[in-house]
């Protein structure tokens, strides 16, 4: 089943290659969407694809890359729209 999820990750998640790891993980799971830094130090991702693969991405984000410290992962499920062709790192919300 296709799904879409907005994922907010809190903790020490900026400056530790978190976005790049997220992009690589999502791409390996055939997900599309984006990931970006938020002004308040959190990271936001929007992922589309098979629901099971999004759930696997969320599991990986809960662990984070080696230098990260993840405190919380909040997931909001949305209707699938199919609007992306790839998964990429986008500009922060404060650029």
């Amino acid at each position: 089943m296709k799904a879409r999820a907005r994922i907010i990750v809190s903790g020490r998640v900026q400056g530790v290659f978190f976005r790049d790891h997220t992009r690589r993980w999502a791409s390996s799971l055939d997900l599309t969407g984006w990931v970006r830094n938020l002004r308040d130090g959190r990271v936001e991702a929007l992922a589309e694809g098979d629901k099971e693969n999004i759930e696997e991405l969320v599991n990986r984000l809960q662990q984070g890359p080696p230098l990260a410290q993840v405190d919380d992962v909040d997931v909001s499920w949305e209707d699938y729209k199919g609007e992306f062709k790839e998964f990429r790192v986008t500009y922060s919300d404060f650029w």
Side-chain angles (χ1 to χ4, degrees):
M1 178 170 85
K2 297 284 187 183
R4 175 179 174 122
R6 186 170 305 273
I7 307 161
I8 305 289
V9 185
S10 303
R12 190 179 72 201
V13 293
Q14 290 188 13
V16 293
F17 300 101
F18 201 95
R19 291 177 300 159
D20 185 59
H21 275 82
T22 301
R23 180 191 57 79
R24 286 189 276 149
W25 288 334
S27 294
S28 74
L29 293 165
D30 292 323
L31 299 175
T32 61
W34 50 261
V35 61
R36 68 180 178 176
N37 286 339
L38 296 176
R39 184 178 317 225
D40 61 8
R42 298 178 300 165
V43 168
E44 177 183 28
L46 184 66
E48 288 193 328
D50 289 336
K51 186 172 184 181
E52 289 179 5
N53 291 353
I54 295 173
E55 290 169 341
E56 175 60 26
L57 176 63
V58 170
N59 288 337
R60 293 180 188 186
L61 294 176
Q62 289 172 337
Q63 299 303 311
L67 298 176
Q69 178 185 335
V70 176
D71 295 334
D72 187 50
V73 177
D74 182 53
V75 181
S76 299
W77 293 97
E78 302 175 4
D79 292 333
Y80 177 80
K81 295 183 181 177
E83 65 181 291
F84 307 108
K85 294 183 178 175
E86 63 185 358
F87 198 97
R88 62 188 182 104
V89 175
T90 65
Y91 290 105
S92 304
D93 73 333
F94 51 89
W95 294 113

